[in-house]
Amino acid sequence: MSREVIAIIDFGSQYGQLIARRVREHKVYSQLYQPTVKIEKLAQLGVKGIILSGGPASVYADNAPSCDPRIFELGVPVLGICYGMQIGSKILGADIKPAESREYGRTSLDISDHSDLFKGLPDHTSVWMSHGDQVNELTDDFASLAATPTCPFAAVRHKSGRFFGVQFHPEVTHTPRGADILKNFLYDVCGCAGDWQMSDFVEETVTNVRQQVGDATVICGLSGGVDSAVTAALLHKAIGDQLVCIFVDNGLLRKNERAGVESMFGGHFHIDLHTVDWGKQFLSKLAGVTDPQKKRKIIGAEFIEAFKSEADQIKNAKFLAQGTLYPDVIESGNKDGNLAANIKLHHNVGGLPEELGFELVEPLRDLFKDEVRLVGEYLGLPEEMVWRHPFPGPGLAVRILSDITEPKLAILREADDILIEEITAAGLYRQISQALAVLLPVGTVGVMGDERSYEHVIALRCVETTDFMTADFSHIPHEVLGRIASRIINEVRGVNRVVYDISSKPPATIEWE
């Protein structure tokens, strides 16, 4: 099937895939490529345009990533964002130097040219900056389109009309008119028709999976969350009875999680589901461990052992499917040539030892959470499953900020269950992107009845986001928070205080560990 393609050359930006996602929101297919991609490959794809992403490097640093300078010979428009603007401008002859005043955060953009890229935008708008270098001097081949108080060339156009550069980040939500800028580039500059849909992704993925696995059996690590559920549904559509799902009960699950998974997938969808009861082994290995990264590594290693114990019994199993999403990949860093910095470990990203003999199938690897939900809706999954909040692979272990014990897990399960019940009853569940309870490693003095108590503290964390790369805390009505706190303190033995986390991401993360 012939389709329009926007190639995104990723220089290691934390927002690289976010750019791809924003392009797809405008119904134009996009794909990320490493800076080493050759012009011949892009020409073969018949790309409609190219976007050069931002990145953490300086264009003058040793081993600074660059791209094939012949991309400007393809005859298609190129948009450089932040580092991408700098490297593109440098290739075309402009001078790049460290900025006298580094810009980070929201700033005001004054637009001087409202044709093409800034069509329909006001003279002044807010943009999100994050840079140390900037264009210092333009040649006569360039025209300045916009400026900020400290960046005279915040947006430029080459006289050929084939290169545009913006020093700010139009892909992030902190740039309010960023979507309009990208849309102008895609439609007015590149001439895209915008006919790509999520159904295209599903059909292409089904075809690719069938080609990849042939007649072999595929094992899917099922957790009951949105990602693994959509993965299982996609695979079931592609290969039917060749799919076998394994659910590992690691003892770190939410309340009634196992029963729900078995009822939904084994009973309702009639998928071949194998449950592995491995909770005692997980808790034994985690005994006394408090470091969050060690917890993740232990859980990842033990998960493989549990999984292998069941997978070894399944005939003709050659592939393992995982619900890995792009935020998992980009935040793990340094995978498959990824230039982005490592933020955290995920046991489902590259965590499968080669000695197990499985080849990975990761059909959702290039998607964000909201895109996964669209796939789930297209496949006809139940609403309560498609819109379920994310739950980390290590489970409640990374929501207990101390060593893991059965009594602590029991406390956190009940608190978490009350939180979800109350935000659902208040009609807030769909508005909130992720809600969780955290058991803090401190005790506080309280009064329970006529006696002093010294018991646990529960922190509540509710955030709203579209991409899970950035997030703001949810403004839950005080009466709802009060009801949640009252129920937890009164119904969960061992808790005498509840607090609410009002941090944003960044600088905080969504999970506490």
Side-chain angles (χ1 to χ4, degrees):
M1 179 180 66
S2 177
R3 66 185 179 193
E4 300 172 329
V5 178
I6 295 293
I8 299 163
I9 298 180
D10 185 7
F11 292 107
S13 171
Q14 291 294 337
Y15 303 127
Q17 183 71 6
L18 184 54
I19 300 171
R21 179 180 168 277
R22 296 297 187 222
V23 172
R24 292 199 292 260
E25 284 178 350
H26 290 296
K27 297 184 178 181
V28 179
Y29 183 76
S30 60
Q31 184 64 51
L32 266 80
Y33 296 92
Q34 292 298 313
T36 53
V37 65
K38 297 299 183 184
I39 187 175
E40 290 79 11
K41 181 170 184 178
L42 299 179
Q44 185 179 15
L45 286 169
V47 295
K48 294 282 288 185
I50 298 170
I51 298 178
L52 309 178
S53 85
S58 166
V59 293
Y60 291 113
D62 292 339
N63 300 317
S66 188
C67 58
D68 190 335
R70 295 179 298 156
I71 62 169
F72 297 107
E73 301 172 12
L74 276 174
V76 300
V78 179
L79 172 64
I81 296 175
C82 196
Y83 181 88
M85 171 186 176
Q86 296 163 17
I87 196 69
S89 298
K90 180 173 181 287
I91 290 172
L92 292 171
D95 182 42
I96 314 297
K97 286 187 177 180
E100 292 184 7
S101 177
R102 172 181 166 84
E103 284 185 303
Y104 181 82
R106 189 176 282 111
T107 190
S108 177
L109 181 74
D110 298 321
I111 300 171
S112 56
D113 186 331
H114 289 80
S115 61
D116 41 59
L117 207 58
F118 296 109
K119 179 181 176 182
L121 269 69
D123 291 340
H124 310 286
T125 187
S126 293
V127 295
W128 185 262
M129 287 283 199
S130 179
H131 70 97
D133 294 344
Q134 65 185 35
V135 174
N136 177 63
E137 186 176 342
L138 294 175
T139 67
D140 292 339
D141 291 332
F142 283 90
S144 176
L145 307 180
T148 72
T150 60
C151 183
F153 307 119
V156 300
R157 182 204 304 115
H158 192 261
K159 71 174 184 181
S160 67
R162 292 301 182 184
F163 177 70
F164 296 81
V166 292
Q167 186 57 66
F168 55 89
H169 289 274
E171 71 275 20
V172 301
T173 55
H174 301 302
T175 298
R177 302 300 296 270
D180 297 321
I181 295 169
L182 289 174
K183 184 177 181 180
N184 286 339
F185 176 72
L186 297 171
Y187 285 81
D188 294 338
V189 178
C190 297
C192 293
D195 54 7
W196 185 77
Q197 304 177 62
M198 192 54 71
S199 58
D200 297 328
F201 169 82
V202 171
E203 297 308 318
E204 290 168 12
T205 301
V206 165
T207 299
N208 292 339
V209 168
R210 287 173 179 166
Q211 291 176 347
Q212 181 183 3
V213 308
D215 60 358
T217 295
V218 178
I219 298 174
C220 179
L222 191 61
S223 69
V226 179
D227 307 337
S228 65
V230 174
T231 298
L234 251 179
L235 292 173
H236 198 253
K237 178 179 175 66
I239 59 174
D241 293 342
Q242 290 172 243
L243 174 67
V244 176
C245 290
I246 295 178
F247 173 69
V248 175
D249 184 348
N250 58 13
L252 307 168
L253 305 173
R254 290 170 284 195
K255 188 176 181 179
N256 299 324
E257 184 81 30
R258 175 172 172 173
V261 169
E262 291 175 337
S263 173
M264 179 63 71
F265 290 94
H268 180 71
F269 287 109
H270 304 294
I271 290 175
D272 188 2
L273 175 64
H274 299 217
T275 299
V276 183
D277 191 346
W278 209 265
K280 291 182 179 178
Q281 291 92 324
F282 275 92
L283 293 181
S284 175
K285 291 292 178 65
L286 287 168
V289 177
T290 59
D291 181 81
Q293 295 294 58
K294 287 183 179 178
K295 287 181 185 178
R296 288 180 180 271
K297 289 180 178 179
I298 290 170
I299 292 168
E302 200 60 30
F303 172 83
I304 291 170
E305 289 300 313
F307 203 92
K308 186 176 185 299
S309 72
E310 188 64 31
D312 284 345
Q313 311 303 315
I314 299 172
K315 296 181 179 180
N316 198 33
K318 298 179 180 178
F319 296 88
L320 173 66
Q322 295 186 149
T324 307
L325 305 192
Y326 191 79
D328 300 334
V329 176
I330 197 70
E331 291 191 344
S332 295
N334 304 316
K335 301 289 190 294
D336 302 326
N338 181 4
L339 300 172
N342 183 287
I343 295 176
K344 61 183 176 182
L345 297 176
H346 291 262
H347 74 263
N348 64 334
V349 180
L352 189 70
E354 292 181 2
E355 60 264 25
L356 289 187
F358 290 122
E359 182 179 336
L360 283 178
V361 178
E362 296 176 307
L364 309 179
R365 188 181 177 90
D366 290 329
L367 299 185
F368 280 83
K369 181 69 69 174
D370 60 321
E371 294 180 309
V372 172
R373 296 192 199 282
L374 292 176
V375 173
E377 288 181 336
Y378 177 79
L379 293 170
L381 292 176
E383 180 181 357
E384 61 271 19
M385 178 177 292
V386 171
W387 289 96
R388 192 174 193 188
H389 290 178
F391 187 65
L396 297 179
V398 291
R399 295 179 180 175
I400 296 175
L401 308 191
S402 59
D403 61 317
I404 312 301
T405 65
E406 283 281 15
K408 291 178 183 178
L409 286 165
I411 288 172
L412 189 54
R413 280 195 190 98
E414 294 300 323
D416 176 80
D417 192 56
I418 290 170
L419 169 62
I420 300 302
E421 276 188 9
E422 288 297 330
I423 63 173
T424 302
L428 298 173
Y429 189 83
R430 285 281 295 271
Q431 175 185 323
I432 296 168
S433 304
Q434 186 170 353
L436 57 116
V438 181
L439 186 64
L440 302 186
V442 294
T444 64
V445 175
V447 177
M448 306 290 280
D450 294 327
E451 299 180 355
R452 287 167 63 86
S453 65
Y454 193 74
E455 297 181 321
H456 292 286
V457 178
I458 291 287
L460 305 178
R461 176 78 159 141
C462 299
V463 299
E464 295 174 19
T465 178
T466 57
D467 51 45
F468 286 83
M469 299 296 281
T470 61
D472 292 318
F473 72 90
S474 298
H475 293 261
I476 297 177
H478 289 179
E479 60 269 22
V480 176
L481 285 174
R483 203 157 49 238
I484 296 169
S486 178
R487 280 196 61 191
I488 290 175
I489 291 170
N490 285 303
E491 298 177 28
V492 183
R493 187 176 297 275
V495 177
N496 68 359
R497 193 178 300 270
V498 175
V499 298
Y500 189 55
D501 180 353
I502 60 170
S503 309
S504 63
K505 176 185 180 180
T509 55
I510 295 175
E511 295 286 347
W512 277 45
E513 285 192 344

